[in-house]
Amino acid sequence: MKGIDVFGLNSEGKYEKIDYIKGDDEINLETQAAIRSKYTIEDEVKLNRLANSLPKAQEPAEFASYHEYIEECRSEGAAKKASAAALRLALKTVDLPQADADPVTIYVR
């Protein structure tokens, strides 16, 4: 899902952009960036390969902290998506007529 611009009426009675709600794709990219800031893809492959090839009791100690961090990032991403979805549900749509084109639909708070 793409992000959306949110509009409101200004003092002149015209719509102006007042906010932006990120889409799931943007939130996914932020989550990936947070993970990449701490672990490279190579680090992840290595840790997962080691964890999957050894008995649980022999997993590298760093795997537990890696796994915890990944789950934190995923949880934060899911919370951001839920919050954005709730904000989108609270919006109404308005079709603005255009002189030489089809109306443009905007989201209004």
Side-chain angles (χ1 to χ4, degrees):
M1 175 175 291
K2 292 173 40 177
I4 57 172
D5 293 325
V6 179
F7 293 83
L9 286 173
N10 63 20
S11 60
E12 299 169 359
K14 295 183 179 183
Y15 288 105
E16 64 182 23
K17 182 179 171 183
I18 59 170
D19 202 359
Y20 179 78
I21 301 173
K22 292 178 182 175
D24 288 357
D25 293 342
E26 292 165 294
I27 295 169
N28 288 343
L29 289 173
E30 287 179 355
T31 300
Q32 291 171 5
I35 294 168
R36 287 296 154 257
S37 73
K38 193 164 181 174
Y39 295 99
T40 65
I41 291 175
E42 292 80 9
D43 292 337
E44 288 198 81
V45 169
K46 176 185 171 187
L47 287 167
N48 281 298
R49 184 177 299 136
L50 285 171
N52 289 328
S53 66
L54 297 171
K56 184 107 175 129
Q58 294 178 347
E59 284 180 353
E62 60 192 303
F63 181 78
S65 58
Y66 156 76
H67 184 71
E68 183 179 318
Y69 183 73
I70 297 300
E71 290 307 310
E72 280 177 31
C73 290
R74 290 182 66 230
S75 179
E76 287 175 17
K80 287 178 183 179
K81 288 178 185 179
S83 176
L87 289 171
R88 282 191 296 273
L89 285 174
L91 299 175
K92 60 182 177 181
T93 58
V94 173
D95 290 330
L96 298 178
Q98 302 294 305
D100 296 330
D102 291 334
V104 172
T105 301
I106 63 170
Y107 296 90
V108 179
R109 186 172 286 153

